[in-house]
C-alpha cells in the first residue's frame, strides 16, 4: 500500500476483530485505502514516520484513525496522547473503538481530545452496522481540515 | 403522692418529725413530772396546813371551853339551878353577861338538867335553836364542856359551847353559850396569810349537813370525800378542780376542809409547759432549717450527676462531674466519670471500626463491580467474533454450505447469541444482589403501569390488564420495578398462546404483610416442579415452546428476599398461573 494514500488507519491487535471490521467496511467500499496495524509501537512509527516507515511523509495524514484501547505493550491512551499533543498530528480525527465502556476510560479519552468514542456492540449485526456508519460519517460525510 | 417528695424534702420532713417527736415526748414527760411534783408539794402542804389549822382551831375551841367553864363555874349559877331559877338570878345573869361581852357570843342560856330554860341573856331568842334531837347529843359527864355543831339561823351559823354545871358529881344543868361563826376581817386577813393564795377554808358539821366558808353557806365536798384519809381530788362547781383535805377538829363537833385550787398548784408547771412548747417549736424550726441547708449538700451533687447522666442518655458522652468529696457521692462521681470516658472511647473505637469495615466493603464491592464488568466484556468478545464469522460464512459461502450446512451454522450463531444473553442475565443478577437498597415509599400501581406501557410498546399481543387497588410499600423503587417487569413479561409471554390474554393484578393486606398477586390465563405449569420455579436458569418449559433464560424468577426472588418478603406460585397445566409475592407492611 502506498504510504501517502492511507485514508483510514486501523489500530487493532485482535486479528479476528480486525478481519470482521474490515470485511464490513469492504462490503461498503470504504476499505480501499485502509491500513491495519496490529502493534502499538509500529502504529506510532507509522504516524510519526520513523523506524520501518521513515520514508513516509507525515502529510498527507490519514483521514481517520480507528484506535482500540486494549493494545499490548503501548496502551491505546498513550497513543492517543501522543497523537493529540503533536502539532502535526493533532488535527487527525481519532475514533476510539473498544470493548470497554468504563466511565474512567471514556473520560480519560475525551480529556486527551478524542473525537469520538464507540463501544463495540456485543451483537455482531450491530457491530457491523456501527463500523459502516463510522466509515461513512468520518470518511465521507465529515469535513476534515484541508492539508 | 408520697413518691413525689424529693430527697431534700424527705430529709427535712424526717428531721422535723424526729425533732418534733423528741420535743413532744420530753415536754410531755417534763410536764407530767412537774405536775406530779407540784401536786405532791401541794398535797404535803395541804396536809400540813390542814393539820395546823385543826390544831389551831382545837386550841381556840379549848380556850373557849375553858373561858366558858370558868365564867359559869360559880355558886351563883349553882344556887340558881338548885332553886330552879328563883335564887341568885341577878348574879347568874351577871355571870352570863360576862360571857356575852364577847362580841361573837350572841346568846348565853342556862338550862336545868331536864333542858328547861331558866335564864338567858343575849340578842337572839332561844327557841330558835332548840330541837328535840339537840338534847340527845349533849354531853352528860360532869364538869365537861363541849363545843357543838353548827346550826343555821337565818343567814348565819352558830355553834354552842356547852358547859355542864355539876355539884358534887350531880348534874345540875347546862350553860350554853351561842357564838356566831364569823371571822373578823383581821382574823380573815391572818387566816388568808396562813392559807396562802388559792386556798380556801371551810367549816362543817360532823353530820356533813352544813358547810361554810365563814362568810356564807356553801356546798359541801362531794360524796367521795373521806375524812382523815389524805387528800382528795374533786371539782367544786364554780371554782374548778381542787385538791382538798378534810379533818375533824378535835374536841369539837366541827370538820375543817381545806381546798387548794389545782390550777394554782399547777400554775408553775403550766407556765413551764408553755415555755417548753415555745422552745420546742423553735427547735423544730431550727431543725428544719438545718436539714434544709444540709440537704442541699447531698442533693446538689446528686442533681449534677443526674444532669450528666441524662446528657449521656441523650448521646453526649463528654460530660463529666466535678469531684470534691470523698464520701459515697464522691466515689459515685469518680466511677461515673470513668464510665463516661470508657463509653466514649468504646464508641470512638466502634466508629473507627465501622468506618474501616464500610471502607473495606465499599472497596470490595467496587472491585467486584469492575471485575464483573471486565469479565462480561472479555467473555462477550469471542462471542461477537463467532457471530461475525458465522454471519460471513452464511452470507458469502451459502452455495458451498447447502441447506443443511446453513442450518447448522444458524444453530452455532443462535447459541453464541444465547450465551451472550446468559452472561448479561448472570451479571445483572449478581449486580442487583450487591446494590445498596433504598427504603422509600413506592407507588406500586404507578410503577406497574409504567412497566406495562414499556412491555406493551411494539407488541401486537392482545392483553387485557385488570389491575385492582394496590397498596403502597416501603422499598427500593428500581428493584421493585424489575420485579414487576419480570413477572409481567412472564405473564405476557406464557399467555401469548391464547387469543386474548387476561392478566389480573391485586394486592391484599394480611396481618403484618402486604401480598401481591399476578394471575394470567396462560399455559400454566405443573405444580410438581414448582420447587424449581425460582432457581437460577431453571425452566419448566422447553426452549422451543417459549424463549427465555430462566433467570427472571430467580431475580424476582432475590429482590423480594432482600426486602424481607416471600415469593410463591400456584398453577395447573393449561389453566394459567398465579404468582404471589409479599412485602412487610
Amino acid at each position: 500500500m502506498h504510504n501517502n494514500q492511507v485514508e483510514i488507519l486501523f489500530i487493532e491487535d485482535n486479528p479476528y476483530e480486525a478481519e470482521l471490521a474490515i470485511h464490513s467496511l469492504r462490503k461498503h467500499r470504504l476499505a480501499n485505502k485502509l491500513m491495519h496495524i496490529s502493534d502499538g509501537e509500529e502504529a506510532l512509527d507509522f504516524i510519526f514516520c520513523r523506524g520501518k516507515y521513515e520514508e513516509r511523509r507525515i502529510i498527507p495524514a490519514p483521514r481517520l484513525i480507528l484506535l482500540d484501547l486494549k493494545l499490548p505493550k503501548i496502551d491505546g491512551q498513550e497513543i492517543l496522547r501522543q497523537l493529540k499533543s503533536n502539532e502535526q498530528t493533532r488535527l487527525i480525527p481519532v475514533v476510539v473503538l473498544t470493548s470497554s465502556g468504563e466511565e474512567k476510560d471514556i473520560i480519560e479519552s475525551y480529556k486527551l481530545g478524542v473525537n469520538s468514542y464507540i463501544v463495540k456492540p456485543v451483537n455482531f449485526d450491530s457491530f457491523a452496522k456501527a463500523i459502516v456508519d463510522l466509515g461513512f460519517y468520518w470518511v465521507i460525510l465529515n469535513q476534515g481540515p484541508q492539508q | 403522692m408520697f413518691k413525689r417528695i424529693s430527697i431534700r424534702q424527705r430529709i427535712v420532713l424526717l428531721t422535723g418529725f424526729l425533732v418534733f417527736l423528741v420535743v413532744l415526748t420530753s415536754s410531755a414527760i417534763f410536764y407530767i413530772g412537774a405536775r406530779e411534783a407540784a401536786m405532791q408539794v401541794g398535797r404535803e402542804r395541804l396536809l400540813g396546813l390542814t393539820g395546823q389549822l385543826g390544831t389551831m382551831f382545837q386550841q381556840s375551841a379549848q380556850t373557849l371551853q375553858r373561858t366558858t367553864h370558868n365564867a359559869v363555874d360559880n355558886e351563883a349559877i349553882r344556887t340558881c339551878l338548885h332553886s330552879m331559877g328563883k335564887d341568885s338570878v341577878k348574879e347568874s345573869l351577871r355571870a352570863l353577861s360576862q360571857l356575852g361581852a364577847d362580841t361573837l357570843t350572841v346568846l348565853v342560856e342556862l338550862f336545868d338538867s331536864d333542858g328547861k330554860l331558866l335564864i338567858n341573856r343575849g340578842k337572839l331568842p332561844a327557841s330558835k335553836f332548840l330541837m328535840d334531837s339537840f338534847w340527845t347529843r349533849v354531853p352528860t359527864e360532869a364538869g365537861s364542856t363541849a363545843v357543838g355543831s353548827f346550826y343555821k339561823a337565818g343567814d348565819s351559823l352558830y355553834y354552842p359551847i356547852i358547859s355542864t354545871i355539876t355539884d358534887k358529881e350531880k348534874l345540875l344543868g347546862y350553860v350554853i353559850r351561842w357564838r356566831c361563826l364569823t371571822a373578823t376581817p383581821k382574823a380573815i386577813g391572818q387566816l388568808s396569810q396562813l392559807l396562802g393564795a388559792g386556798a380556801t377554808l371551810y367549816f362543817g358539821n360532823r353530820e356533813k349537813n352544813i358547810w361554810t366558808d365563814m362568810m356564807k353557806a356553801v356546798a359541801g365536798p362531794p360524796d367521795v370525800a373521806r375524812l382523815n384519809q389524805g387528800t382528795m381530788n374533786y371539782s367544786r362547781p364554780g371554782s374548778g378542780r381542787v385538791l382538798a383535805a378534810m379533818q375533824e377538829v378535835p374536841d369539837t363537833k366541827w370538820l375543817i376542809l381545806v381546798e387548794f385550787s389545782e390550777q394554782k398548784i399547777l400554775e408553775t408547771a403550766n407556765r413551764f409547759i408553755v415555755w417548753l412548747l415555745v422552745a420546742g417549736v423553735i427547735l423544730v424550726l431550727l431543725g428544719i432549717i438545718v436539714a434544709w441547708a444540709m440537704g442541699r449538700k447531698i442533693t446538689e451533687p446528686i442533681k449534677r450527676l443526674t444532669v450528666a447522666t441524662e446528657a449521656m442518655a441523650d448521646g453526649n458522652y463528654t460530660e463529666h462531674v466535678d469531684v470534691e468529696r470523698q464520701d459515697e457521692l464522691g466515689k459515685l462521681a469518680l466511677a461515673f466519670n470513668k464510665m463516661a470516658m470508657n463509653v466514649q472511647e468504646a464508641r470512638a473505637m466502634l466508629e473507627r471500626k465501622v468506618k474501616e469495615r464500610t471502607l473495606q466493603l465499599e472497596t470490595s464491592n467496587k472491585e467486584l463491580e469492575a471485575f464483573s464488568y471486565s469479565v462480561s466484556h472479555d467473555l462477550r468478545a469471542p462471542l461477537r467474533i463467532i457471530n461475525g464469522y458465522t454471519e460471513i460464512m452464511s452470507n458469502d459461502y451459502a452455495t458451498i454450505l447447502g441447506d443443511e450446512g446453513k442450518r447448522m451454522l444458524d444453530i452455532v450463531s443462535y447459541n453464541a447469541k444465547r450465551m451472550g444473553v446468559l452472561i448479561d442475565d448472570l451479571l445483572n443478577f449478581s449486580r442487583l444482589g450487591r446494590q445498596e437498597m433504598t427504603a422509600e415509599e413506592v407507588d406500586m400501581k404507578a410503577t406497574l403501569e409504567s412497566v406495562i406501557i414499556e412491555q406493551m410498546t411494539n407488541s401486537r399481543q392482545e392483553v387485557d390488564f385488570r389491575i385492582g387497588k394496590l397498596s403502597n410499600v416501603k422499598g427500593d423503587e428500581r428493584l421493585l420495578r424489575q420485579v414487576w417487569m419480570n413477572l409481567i413479561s412472564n405473564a405476557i409471554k406464557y399467555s401469548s398462546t391464547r387469543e386474548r390474554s387476561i392478566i389480573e393484578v391485586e394486592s391484599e393486606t394480611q396481618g403484618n404483610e402486604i401480598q401481591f398477586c399476578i394471575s394470567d390465563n396462560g399455559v400454566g405449569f405443573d405444580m410438581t416442579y414448582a420447587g424449581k420455579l425460582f432457581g437460577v436458569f431453571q425452566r419448566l418449559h422447553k426452549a422451543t415452546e417459549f424463549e427465555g433464560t430462566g433467570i427472571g424468577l430467580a431475580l424476582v426472588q432475590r429482590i423480594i428476599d432482600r426486602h424481607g418478603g416471600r415469593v410463591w406460585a400456584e398453577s395447573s397445566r393449561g389453566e394459567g398461573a398465579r404468582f404471589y409475592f409479599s412485602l412487610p407492611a
Side-chain angles (χ1 to χ4, degrees):
Chain A
M1 170 147 342
H2 216 285
N3 288 348
N4 289 338
Q5 283 176 316
V6 171
E7 261 189 352
I8 302 176
L9 175 61
F10 186 19
I11 310 174
E12 164 68 65
D13 70 309
N14 187 315
Y16 311 116
E17 302 255 22
E19 186 178 349
L20 289 173
I22 293 168
H23 180 94
S24 297
L25 288 169
R26 191 165 285 143
K27 261 180 115 166
H28 292 83
R29 286 193 281 269
L30 291 163
N32 294 346
K33 300 178 187 165
L34 180 143
M35 173 95 180
H36 170 227
I37 298 183
S38 53
D39 179 80
E41 264 190 71
E42 192 184 325
L44 282 172
D45 284 346
F46 177 87
I47 289 163
F48 294 110
C49 308
R50 40 174 204 242
K52 199 159 124 186
Y53 301 94
E54 64 186 348
E55 284 180 14
R56 178 181 167 267
R57 289 195 348 255
I58 279 198
I59 313 278
R63 294 178 63 164
L64 172 67
I65 299 181
L66 282 173
L67 175 62
D68 180 21
L69 289 180
K70 286 194 173 49
L71 296 172
K73 294 187 274 184
I74 291 202
D75 187 48
Q77 301 279 18
E78 180 56 33
I79 294 177
L80 180 60
R81 182 178 303 114
Q82 291 198 20
L83 277 169
K84 290 299 180 181
S85 54
N86 185 299
E87 271 301 314
Q88 291 177 305
T89 55
R90 203 161 53 89
L91 298 176
I92 306 172
V94 179
V95 171
V96 161
L97 183 66
T98 184
S99 51
S100 164
E102 281 192 59
E103 192 65 19
K104 67 170 167 47
D105 288 333
I106 300 173
I107 289 175
E108 186 63 29
S109 305
Y110 274 101
K111 273 190 182 157
L112 291 170
V114 77
N115 296 76
S116 181
Y117 191 105
I118 308 288
V119 176
K120 288 183 202 159
V122 294
N123 182 311
F124 175 70
D125 287 335
S126 314
F127 173 71
K129 184 170 186 303
I131 293 284
V132 169
D133 284 344
L134 269 175
F136 267 120
Y137 179 81
W138 287 100
V139 175
I140 311 276
L141 188 59
N142 185 49
Q143 185 75 341
Q146 294 298 346
Q147 300 287 343
Chain B
M1 178 243 145
F2 210 57
K3 287 197 183 123
R4 294 169 59 195
I5 300 180
S6 74
I7 290 181
R8 203 171 174 191
Q9 288 164 341
R10 278 181 214 241
I11 291 176
V12 165
L13 277 176
L14 182 68
T15 311
F17 179 68
L18 284 175
V19 173
F20 174 73
L21 213 59
V22 166
V23 160
L24 199 68
T25 319
S26 38
S27 299
I29 292 173
F30 285 143
Y31 179 63
I32 291 172
R35 261 181 85 107
E36 259 317 298
M39 289 297 270
Q40 190 56 29
V41 166
R43 246 179 249 116
E44 280 166 18
R45 193 167 148 257
L46 178 63
L47 287 173
L49 183 64
T50 313
Q52 245 185 312
L53 286 170
T55 310
M56 201 176 85
F57 289 122
Q58 179 192 27
Q59 284 170 349
S60 299
Q62 282 171 346
T63 309
L64 279 173
Q65 286 170 330
R66 214 176 29 251
T67 51
T68 309
H69 186 82
N70 289 345
V72 300
D73 187 29
N74 62 27
E75 279 307 314
I77 298 286
R78 274 196 208 97
T79 311
C80 192
L81 280 170
H82 278 304
S83 67
M84 302 298 282
K86 296 204 181 73
D87 297 329
S88 302
V89 172
K90 242 210 307 242
E91 287 87 354
S92 301
L93 278 174
R94 215 178 315 125
L96 295 184
S97 299
Q98 210 183 329
L99 283 177
D102 161 39
T103 43
L104 288 179
T105 302
V106 297
L107 178 64
V108 189
E109 297 170 314
L110 180 65
F111 295 88
D112 69 5
S113 54
D114 295 318
K116 184 161 153 246
L117 178 67
L118 297 179
I119 53 174
N120 68 4
R121 181 134 234 155
K123 307 163 195 140
L124 294 172
S127 58
K128 281 246 166 200
F129 297 119
L130 295 182
M131 296 157 284
D132 290 329
S133 58
F134 177 78
W135 292 106
T136 58
R137 285 180 268 118
V138 167
T140 51
E141 300 94 14
S144 66
T145 315
V147 176
S149 315
F150 297 114
Y151 296 92
K152 196 160 176 336
D155 287 333
S156 307
L157 286 176
Y158 304 94
Y159 61 90
I161 299 153
I162 307 160
S163 230
T164 55
I165 312 290
T166 57
D167 187 10
K168 299 185 194 54
E169 311 298 327
K170 182 176 174 247
L171 178 68
L172 294 175
Y174 304 97
V175 169
I176 301 184
R177 174 183 175 189
W178 292 97
R179 271 185 119 230
C180 180
L181 182 63
T182 38
T184 57
K186 179 166 155 229
I188 289 178
Q190 282 176 334
L191 205 53
S192 295
Q193 269 197 327
L194 184 62
L195 285 173
T200 325
L201 172 65
Y202 300 98
F203 283 100
N205 275 345
R206 292 214 181 165
E207 292 83 20
K208 302 194 186 132
N209 55 349
I210 292 178
W211 287 96
T212 176
D213 63 354
M214 295 216 288
M215 286 179 286
K216 61 184 187 306
V218 297
D223 286 341
V224 296
R226 297 149 308 190
L227 201 53
N228 295 339
Q229 283 183 36
T231 57
M232 310 157 276
N233 287 74
Y234 54 83
S235 200
R236 176 165 284 277
S239 312
R241 284 196 67 83
V242 292
L243 184 69
M246 191 157 64
Q247 194 177 295
E248 290 173 342
V249 179
D251 295 335
T252 69
K253 292 263 202 281
W254 302 342
L255 296 176
I256 50 167
L257 176 71
V258 182
E259 282 182 355
F260 278 175
S261 148
E262 256 192 22
Q263 202 192 331
K264 201 76 179 55
I265 295 174
L266 299 174
E267 204 178 35
T268 328
N270 286 343
R271 250 212 312 271
F272 183 54
I273 193 70
V274 168
W275 281 112
L276 218 54
L277 286 176
V278 167
V281 166
I282 291 173
L283 275 176
V284 170
L285 285 173
L286 214 64
I288 287 175
I289 290 167
V290 167
W292 182 251
M294 285 304 293
R296 204 167 176 282
K297 287 224 128 199
I298 294 176
T299 55
E300 257 315 297
I302 292 181
K303 264 201 198 118
R304 270 188 275 146
L305 203 59
T306 310
V307 164
T309 310
E310 278 171 348
M312 214 183 184
D314 283 338
N316 174 6
Y317 297 93
T318 55
E319 288 273 340
H320 75 280
V321 182
D322 294 324
V323 188
E324 300 135 1
R325 40 205 283 179
Q326 307 213 320
D327 61 358
E328 291 88 335
L329 290 172
K331 286 201 191 113
L332 188 61
L334 273 172
F336 176 83
N337 288 340
K338 203 151 162 230
M339 180 182 78
M341 231 166 46
N342 283 346
V343 170
Q344 179 70 332
E345 272 175 30
R347 282 187 81 237
M349 197 168 69
L350 260 169
E351 295 261 349
R352 276 199 302 270
K353 280 224 174 87
V354 165
K355 274 207 185 86
E356 272 175 39
R357 284 300 152 71
T358 312
L359 210 61
Q360 280 174 5
L361 276 169
E362 278 172 357
T363 316
S364 179
N365 258 7
K366 274 206 190 87
E367 284 172 3
L368 221 53
E369 187 68 38
F371 170 75
S372 30
Y373 188 85
S374 86
V375 157
S376 92
H377 277 273
D378 291 344
L379 282 178
R380 285 205 205 99
L383 289 175
R384 182 176 46 249
I385 292 169
I386 290 171
N387 276 334
Y389 279 96
T390 51
E391 185 86 11
I392 294 172
M393 269 185 79
S394 180
N395 291 338
D396 298 352
Y397 298 87
T399 46
I400 300 175
L401 283 169
D403 286 338
E404 186 61 8
K406 191 149 189 328
R407 185 184 71 88
M408 288 189 172
L409 220 50
D410 282 344
I411 291 169
V412 171
S413 182
Y414 169 75
N415 277 283
K417 285 197 180 100
R418 190 175 161 74
M419 186 161 160
V421 171
L422 282 169
I423 291 172
D424 284 344
D425 281 351
L426 202 58
L427 282 171
N428 209 22
F429 180 77
S430 159
R431 185 174 357 109
L432 279 166
R434 268 183 286 112
Q435 259 170 6
E436 269 176 38
M437 277 199 347
T438 53
E440 53 204 359
E441 186 88 6
V442 178
D443 182 349
M444 290 299 248
K445 188 147 185 171
T447 311
L448 174 61
E449 282 170 353
S450 120
V451 160
I452 289 173
I453 289 171
E454 203 181 298
Q455 293 276 307
M456 294 307 291
T457 321
N458 303 329
S459 167
R460 269 179 265 131
Q461 196 175 331
E462 281 280 323
V463 184
D464 181 8
F465 285 100
R466 299 181 191 165
I467 306 173
K469 194 166 188 309
L470 303 182
S471 314
N472 287 359
V473 296
K474 256 219 180 73
D476 187 309
E477 205 267 337
R478 263 187 342 125
L479 295 178
L480 288 174
R481 193 191 164 76
Q482 185 76 44
V483 166
W484 284 121
M485 213 142 65
N486 290 6
L487 290 173
I488 291 297
S489 72
N490 273 3
I492 294 172
K493 181 162 55 176
Y494 288 98
S495 63
S496 58
T497 50
R498 304 281 189 226
E499 207 172 276
R500 189 183 175 76
S501 312
I502 301 172
I503 299 176
E504 293 175 39
V505 184
E506 278 163 354
S507 90
E508 190 179 60
T509 307
Q510 284 262 10
N512 59 345
E513 56 180 24
I514 303 174
Q515 295 180 359
F516 295 86
C517 174
I518 301 103
S519 53
D520 62 72
N521 65 339
V523 295
F525 57 84
D526 191 340
M527 275 302 274
T528 327
Y529 304 107
K532 294 172 75 179
L533 213 49
F534 297 96
V536 175
F537 293 149
Q538 297 284 0
R539 305 199 65 215
L540 297 187
H541 297 88
K542 297 203 206 121
T544 46
E545 294 172 324
F546 298 99
E547 68 145 65
T549 54
I551 198 110
L553 288 176
L555 203 58
V556 164
Q557 174 159 72
R558 188 143 189 205
I559 293 172
I560 298 296
D561 266 356
R562 288 194 77 199
H563 278 80
R566 306 174 293 134
V567 288
W568 69 102
E570 290 163 6
S571 176
S572 36
R573 287 204 78 93
E575 286 167 35
R578 283 168 301 288
F579 281 83
Y580 302 87
F581 67 92
S582 71
L583 291 167

